Amino acid sequence: MALFLTEDDVGKLLTMNDAIEVLDRAFRQLAGNNAPVRPRQRVKIAGGTLQVMPAALPAERAIGFKAYTTMAGRPNFHFTLYDSTTGELLAVMQANRLGQIRTGAASGVATRYMARDKVAVVGCIGTGWQARSQVEAVCAVRKFERGLAYGRDPARLRAFCDEISNTVNLPIEPASNPDQVASEVDVLIAATNARRPVFDGNALSAGVHVNAIGSNGAERQEVDEATVVRSSRVVVDLKEQANIECGDVIPVVSAGRITWSNVIELADIVAGRTSGRDSDDEITLFESQGIALEDVAVGIHVYRLARERGIGREIPA
């Protein structure tokens, strides 16, 4: 029998700290060519889009895919997990919470290797579902003194600051504009659904590390050309996928300001093939599209914990 796990089940089982460690190991396997992964595939119809993301972690005996629909503006996420040795169906789980945590964890891994060791201020532009786990993740790998956040809706921004302050035990204050966040922080998170850049890259201070997670379509540009060009490291989770959907980098490459050979995969930094930064003055950029390997890595972790703790409902395999 396989397991069916709900959003609540996943939320009880998957912590941010565990997710960061799980993804760190998964990226090392990717660097060793031991983790086949394919870019996101999209099937578009008049009413919306089906998106499918497959990958495997043979060392964990795990292979699977996340599939989700966006119909009438409403996403619906599920992750399906198999034993990569026997082909047996292991689990089907609702995957909105899974995706939120693993996306944050990927930025946590990038921040671990790319941000300066000594930091004081974390900043977030965006106050939505994904922004919450982003702040939690970077605070899991660096110790900050305070934080700044910006969102267009003042009431929502205030509520976000209050909630996240309690979650990470850090004072998070509203900023008056996005460029204030960009200019005053040591780690900057851009977590929006914007189609145009949300801050001026020329406002970035020396030494800042940027995690940009909103641009997972070629038509979306969350950070501007100045941010990309000023960054000594432009890092993606999978170059093959970034070529298709990294709207922050694609136009800068097309304009001839950088080339894809300048872009580094996060796995190479995690595995020690190249450094995340060479000095405290460098600006570094992690462009997260979110890849299927991350879903498989946290998915097998959640499944094993569910079996250990007797959580989930058995379904025919």
Side-chain angles (χ1 to χ4, degrees):
M1 301 288 280
L3 279 184
F4 180 78
L5 300 171
T6 66
E7 296 287 3
D8 285 344
D9 294 333
V10 173
K12 292 174 185 175
L13 293 165
L14 184 59
T15 68
M16 182 59 72
N17 285 335
D18 282 353
I20 290 170
E21 298 310 320
V22 164
L23 291 197
D24 193 297
R25 292 194 299 270
F27 278 110
R28 290 177 189 276
Q29 292 177 51
L30 180 61
N33 295 317
N34 296 317
V37 57
R38 301 299 304 140
R40 187 183 345 252
Q41 302 294 308
R42 290 184 168 98
V43 178
K44 297 184 178 182
I45 60 173
T49 307
L50 168 67
Q51 301 172 87
V52 182
M53 304 172 65
L57 276 171
E60 303 291 338
R61 289 186 57 170
I63 188 168
F65 65 92
K66 183 169 72 178
Y68 61 105
T69 57
T70 50
M71 306 294 179
R74 298 178 59 184
N76 186 14
F77 296 85
H78 288 86
F79 175 70
T80 303
L81 176 68
Y82 299 89
D83 185 308
S84 64
T85 300
T86 67
E88 175 190 2
L89 176 66
L90 299 178
V92 176
M93 58 191 77
Q94 294 177 333
N96 196 13
R97 182 73 175 132
L98 188 89
Q100 182 198 33
I101 296 172
R102 68 81 152 143
T103 304
S107 292
V109 172
T111 303
R112 169 182 280 173
Y113 293 97
M114 299 177 66
R116 290 177 296 183
D117 291 333
K118 294 182 179 180
V119 294
V121 188
V122 60
C124 186
I125 299 173
T127 59
W129 171 251
Q130 290 287 353
R132 287 161 167 77
S133 64
Q134 291 290 314
V135 177
E136 183 182 357
V138 300
C139 288
V141 299
R142 287 293 187 276
K143 185 174 178 58
F144 296 94
E145 298 172 5
R146 63 185 181 93
L148 285 173
Y150 175 78
R152 292 174 297 178
D153 183 318
R156 186 174 177 180
L157 172 59
R158 181 72 264 177
F160 175 84
C161 289
D162 290 344
E163 178 186 340
I164 299 304
S165 294
N166 289 329
T167 300
V168 299
N169 194 28
L170 192 75
I172 309 288
E173 295 296 330
S176 58
N177 60 74
D179 288 347
Q180 178 192 356
V181 182
S183 64
E184 295 184 15
V185 303
D186 302 294
V187 175
L188 173 63
I189 299 156
T192 74
N193 59 6
R195 292 177 178 268
R196 295 291 181 270
V198 294
F199 64 89
D200 183 354
N202 292 305
L204 292 169
S205 58
V208 66
H209 170 65
V210 181
N211 293 316
I213 72 154
S215 173
N216 68 348
E219 73 284 357
R220 294 182 180 179
Q221 190 177 6
E222 187 178 44
V223 307
D224 61 8
E225 182 177 292
T227 299
V228 178
V229 172
R230 293 186 67 198
S231 296
S232 66
R233 301 287 191 283
V234 179
V235 177
V236 298
D237 33 22
L238 188 69
K239 202 180 280 195
E240 185 179 3
Q241 186 162 307
N243 269 269
I244 300 168
E245 60 182 40
C246 187
D248 292 341
V249 174
I250 291 171
V252 185
V253 172
S254 297
R257 301 299 305 277
I258 66 169
T259 68
W260 283 111
S261 63
N262 301 130
V263 177
I264 303 166
E265 288 192 337
L266 180 58
D268 288 332
I269 291 177
V270 174
R273 291 175 176 169
T274 187
S275 61
R277 65 167 54 241
D278 290 332
S279 77
D280 284 347
D281 292 332
E282 290 177 282
I283 294 172
T284 55
L285 172 64
F286 174 52
E287 285 284 343
S288 172
Q289 275 72 64
I291 60 173
L293 176 69
E294 297 159 8
D295 298 304
V296 173
V298 295
I300 187 65
H301 174 75
V302 167
Y303 168 74
R304 288 171 177 162
L305 288 179
R307 283 297 189 194
E308 288 175 10
R309 300 177 188 179
I311 294 176
R313 176 168 57 88
E314 290 196 333
I315 58 174

